Amino acid sequence: MKNFLLSAALFFCCYASFSQVVINELDADTPSTDVMEFIELKSATPNFPLDGYVLVFFNATTNGDSNLSYLAIDLDGYTTDLNGIFLLGNPNVTPSPAITIGVGIIQNGLDAVAIYHGNAADFPTNTAGTTANLIDALCYSNSNTIQPTALMTALNQTVCVNENQGSAAATKSIQRKNDGTYEVKFPTPGANNDGSGQTLNGVTLSLNPTEMTEGTSFTVTFTTQTAVTSNLNITFALANGSFTTADYSGNLSVLIPQGSTTGSTIIQLTDDAVDEGDENLKVVIGTLPDGYTKLNDNTEFRVHDNDYVVHAWGTPLNPTYGLVTSTVPVGYYNSLEGKSGAVLKQAIQDIIANPAVVRKQNYGDIVDILKEADQNPENGSQVWLMYVEKPRSKIDFQTGTSGAAGFWNREHIYCQSRGGFTNETSSDANGINNYDSTNADDIMAGHADGHHLRAEDSPENSLRSERNYGVDYNGLANTHGSWHGDVARAIFYMCVRYNGLNVVNGNPPQDPDGYIGDLATLLQWNVSDPSDDFEMNRNNVVYNWQKNRNPFIDYPNLADYIWGSHAGEVWFSTLSVPQNEAAKIGIYPNPAKDQFRISGIESGHVEIFSVTGQKVFESDFSGSNSVKMNISNGVYTAKITAQGQSVVKKLVIK
């Protein structure tokens, strides 16, 4: 009997303990790309240990018939604060959350969040909701008319709170009242919803400068909202991930003297002479005494590596030609000789879609491919962003919400929705030596085909969406169109590599699947923005992974024999000027003023195109005679043609 009474007492004691914690506030829908999401728990007593609790997030479909989990967070080792508050949320939330949740992770609704007695391992992804060991739950939505029926039943909830009351979901949060019901009002993260409780002295971390280079120093400063009543010693850590204790030296503690509000220390960055790429230094503040709260924490700052690789060739904005040697195997294109029309197109496909040779990679592998193929020639720690024509650090790859500013992403030139291969390969990276076989009918392989995927600014990537090149999308204002030819040649490749993909003049039909780009514009872009060293290098890199090449980079004028002015004519590789021969042909002086001469060739015809592809001048030339012109200052492309062969050169007019 005594053992029974003891067990019962322990049961009720544990039950009372575990029932002390409730969901106090939730802000799932926040402005812009959901960078201020948070969830707040509250205990009945202050400084309450959360050992044995797990927070589980559940998802419902639009008709409310799903109740499966998508995230579980262990709360072991954490404690609520002086007011019984415990905060989890995005890095930008103030005060700083005790547990950081990635941007865009908390779903807007129809959804639910629940506290259980247990561990995250008890709730793997897609675990059904249950009342077993349930402590508290909140079902929420962004509509008064749609309810997460299955979730509410599974969690034994009779109420679903609409965060979007008054169409203000982005600026309001769901908050628990003292009577256990919920209301929607302006967020109060880290504080009691009714305004009661002890006011905590907020501590803010700052670094100067906020971006650093190896070998330099920076200052770490801590500032309190009000003067401290006794000496406050704050410790912090810097080592995280690839940034280790070998990367810096200095004192990792700061003293704020009694009566003051600030203190600082200087950290020296190590110049290690090793090319390890840019890194993120993360400042993690140690435990603060009672009465203080962190207004920011786990804050990342950029450390630029000064040992990056520089290549001899130029960026697409400042192209070079003939410096990168093609890795095309001997005889790779021999089967194209003497063919024309549909037979020529089929012969190309037989090479680049050969199931015995060509490899199909995963979408996850594309990140590694692009870090090599789209590497900025001027700084090996960066990738070159195609549409916006500028570099960005490789470590700024987007892992959260699509369209986030300051990040780069994988851009499908032949967009997924038009190509019919949306999300058709795994996001897990398998590596270069793990691949599947493929063929011309394997449209799914287009999802992860490196020949038409480029590193791109994330917001511009979202803005481009599935807009049609040459008709609806020509690039940002005040940019130079240095990617026009790259896009054209990528689309030409896709339309030959995969059955069912095409390019036509004008806008595609009502149903855009299988069509993208205005053919006439793309053919012009292929000439006005010629294949350069940057593009040849990426052709080599992708070939190393996929074991196929983009023939329209190796032989740009091949496109004219499939779709353009030479369509139907017999192709011979001698009709395309080899790079080593093209390098001998030059324009001088360059920059020019009102006239120039062409060297390396006796006579021929020259056409000059603007960066938008508009022909602004043409003339025959012979011998050493000057070509006279009258066109505005700017950067142009000169197409030089002789004996049925053409080369393209950059021309600057001043």
Side-chain angles (χ1 to χ4, degrees), residues 70 187 336 372 386 448 450 509 574 652:
Y70 65 90
L336 307 185
E372 183 181 2
M386 188 176 71
T574 54
V652 178

Side-chain angles (χ1 to χ4, degrees), residues 308-318 370-385 389-394 455 534 537:
Y308 50 80
V309 172
V310 178
H311 289 296
W313 60 88
T315 68
L317 198 57
N318 296 289
L370 295 185
K371 285 181 179 180
E372 183 181 2
D374 288 352
Q375 180 171 297
N376 178 15
E378 297 175 347
N379 185 335
S381 297
Q382 303 170 335
V383 288
W384 183 263
L385 306 184
E389 300 179 329
K390 62 183 179 182
R392 183 157 295 155
S393 180
K394 289 180 179 179
F534 184 92
N537 176 69

Side-chain angles (χ1 to χ4, degrees), residues 196-357:
S196 64
Q198 182 174 335
T199 301
L200 304 180
N201 194 354
V203 177
T204 300
L205 155 76
S206 62
L207 262 65
N208 183 32
T210 57
E211 291 202 19
M212 300 144 275
T213 303
E214 286 184 347
T216 63
S217 63
F218 62 94
T219 301
V220 181
T221 300
F222 291 98
T223 305
T224 57
Q225 290 175 309
T226 60
V228 300
T229 56
S230 61
N231 287 352
L232 174 63
N233 189 62
I234 302 174
T235 61
F236 62 95
L238 296 177
N240 62 284
S242 63
F243 189 85
T244 70
T245 54
D247 291 316
Y248 66 90
S249 60
N251 184 18
L252 299 183
S253 66
V254 170
L255 176 68
I256 300 180
Q258 179 180 349
S260 181
T261 60
T262 186
S264 62
T265 186
I266 296 176
I267 302 295
Q268 178 68 42
L269 292 170
T270 305
D271 188 355
D272 55 15
V274 177
D275 180 14
E276 50 198 355
D278 293 345
E279 297 174 297
N280 279 336
L281 170 160
K282 180 186 287 186
V283 183
V284 181
I285 306 174
T287 303
L288 296 178
D290 283 348
Y292 293 93
T293 186
K294 306 170 188 177
L295 297 183
N296 63 329
D297 192 12
N298 297 296
T299 308
E300 293 187 347
F301 300 88
R302 180 58 42 81
V303 177
H304 294 286
D305 196 331
N306 60 357
D307 303 300
Y308 50 80
V309 172
V310 178
H311 289 296
W313 60 88
T315 68
L317 198 57
N318 296 289
T320 57
Y321 305 91
L323 298 181
V324 176
T325 302
S326 170
T327 59
V328 60
V330 175
Y332 187 76
Y333 292 116
N334 281 358
S335 60
L336 307 185
E337 298 296 298
K339 292 183 172 63
S340 63
V343 176
L344 174 61
K345 184 178 179 182
Q346 183 61 53
I348 299 172
Q349 186 184 74
D350 290 343
I351 296 172
I352 64 176
N354 184 350
V357 177

Side-chain angles (χ1 to χ4, degrees), residues 20-22 24-25 39-50 75 77-88 94-99 188-193 196-202 287-295:
Q20 286 198 63
V21 183
V22 297
N24 196 51
E25 185 173 358
I39 182 168
E40 179 186 271
L41 310 182
K42 184 172 175 59
S43 61
T45 57
N47 301 315
F48 183 78
L50 297 175
L75 301 180
Y78 293 97
T79 304
T80 61
D81 66 14
L82 284 176
N83 293 315
I85 298 295
F86 184 77
L87 186 64
L88 309 88
T94 299
S96 181
I99 295 179
T188 60
N192 288 334
N193 298 335
S196 64
Q198 182 174 335
T199 301
L200 304 180
N201 194 354
T287 303
L288 296 178
D290 283 348
Y292 293 93
T293 186
K294 306 170 188 177
L295 297 183

Side-chain angles (χ1 to χ4, degrees), residues 27-83:
D27 196 355
D29 192 350
T30 67
S32 185
T33 52
D34 281 347
V35 297
M36 298 290 286
E37 304 162 324
F38 71 88
I39 182 168
E40 179 186 271
L41 310 182
K42 184 172 175 59
S43 61
T45 57
N47 301 315
F48 183 78
L50 297 175
D51 297 323
Y53 287 91
V54 58
L55 189 65
V56 183
F57 296 81
F58 293 94
N59 179 43
T61 54
T62 54
N63 58 8
D65 64 357
S66 175
N67 68 333
L68 302 179
S69 66
Y70 65 90
L71 177 67
I73 301 174
D74 270 321
L75 301 180
D76 293 337
Y78 293 97
T79 304
T80 61
D81 66 14
L82 284 176
N83 293 315

